[in-house]
Amino acid sequence: MLDHWVVMPTRLPLVLRRCHACAAGHFRADGKFRVNAHHKLLDAWLLVLCTSCGETAKLTVLERTPVRSVRPELLDRMHANDIGLAAELLQDPVLRRRNRVALDWDGAWRLDTGGPGHLDNEAMDVSVGFAARIPVRPVRLIAEGCGLSRAEVERLIVEGSLVSAVRLGGKLSGDFTFTLKR
C-alpha cells in the first residue's frame, strides 16, 4: 500500500537579504506590491519588510516593461496586493536571481502524513509530494513522518532498510518515493 505525504507551506518564506538600515538579514513579504507607470512603461516591485527594523525593500518584478506586454490579470493581481501572487513570485528562480535574494523556509512548512495509521506496518511505501518548491532534507521528513530520530533514519539508510531512487542526503524540493522495511 502506497502512503502519500505532502509538504505544505504554512506561510510565505523569509527573504534573505541584508538590510541597508540595520544590517539584519531577514525580510518578510506580506503580499504588497508597488506599480509605477512611466508613460507606456511599467515598473513593479514586491515590497518586503525588515524583520528587525521594519525598513521596506523592493524586489523588482517588472522593469521598464511596455504596458501592452503585461497580462491584464497579472496587473489586476498586483493592484489587489494578491498574497498568492507574492508566493508565486518568490518561488520564481529568475526573480530571486535578478534581486540577489534567497529564501529561508525554516518554520514555514509542515508535513501532512494523512494520519498515524501507517506506522505499524512491517514495510511501507511512501510517496512524498511538495505543494511548493521547499528545500527540505529527506532524512528530516522521514524522521518527522515516522516518529524516528534523524540518527535512526541515517542508520536505516546505512543498513539498507530505507531505500529510495533519489539520494536521501542533502536537500530536495521535488517529489520522491521511498520504501521502509522494519
Side-chain angles (χ1 to χ4, degrees):
M1 184 172 121
L2 184 66
D3 288 327
H4 297 283
W5 294 358
V6 180
V7 179
M8 307 276 300
T10 56
R11 63 168 170 80
L12 291 177
L14 295 176
V15 176
L16 297 174
R17 175 182 176 163
R18 188 177 165 277
C19 178
H20 70 276
C22 71
H26 290 82
F27 284 79
R28 70 178 154 68
D30 55 2
K32 302 282 191 241
F33 291 88
R34 174 156 184 224
V35 180
N36 197 6
H38 302 279
H39 301 288
K40 294 182 181 184
L41 301 176
L42 287 179
D43 288 328
W45 301 275
L46 173 61
L47 303 178
V48 292
L49 301 171
C50 178
T51 57
S52 181
C53 70
E55 184 73 20
T56 302
K58 300 184 291 189
L59 301 181
T60 302
V61 177
L62 300 173
E63 188 170 28
R64 301 288 187 206
T65 306
V67 174
R68 290 181 183 252
S69 68
V70 179
R71 296 185 331 265
E73 59 272 3
L74 175 65
L75 199 52
D76 289 342
R77 289 177 74 188
M78 282 194 267
H79 283 301
N81 291 321
D82 184 358
I83 193 130
L85 178 61
E88 290 171 26
L89 291 172
L90 286 174
Q91 292 287 313
D92 183 10
V94 174
L95 180 120
R96 291 196 315 262
R97 191 172 29 255
R98 178 190 315 145
N99 289 284
R100 296 186 195 108
V101 297
L103 300 179
D104 180 5
W105 282 99
D106 287 346
W109 60 272
R110 67 180 170 82
L111 178 63
D112 182 14
T113 61
H118 59 273
L119 296 176
D120 50 350
N121 296 344
E122 188 173 307
M124 59 190 268
D125 291 322
V126 179
S127 167
V128 180
F130 287 77
R133 251 186 257 132
I134 303 170
V136 183
R137 295 186 186 283
V139 170
R140 179 177 178 185
L141 291 176
I142 296 167
E144 187 174 317
C146 295
L148 303 170
S149 69
R150 289 187 204 171
E152 178 70 13
V153 172
E154 294 283 353
R155 186 185 62 75
L156 289 170
I157 292 170
V158 169
E159 61 183 46
S161 298
L162 177 61
V163 293
S164 178
V166 299
R167 193 172 144 260
L168 296 175
K171 291 187 177 184
L172 289 177
S173 59
D175 300 352
F176 69 97
T177 59
F178 69 90
T179 301
L180 174 63
K181 300 173 196 158
R182 293 187 185 232

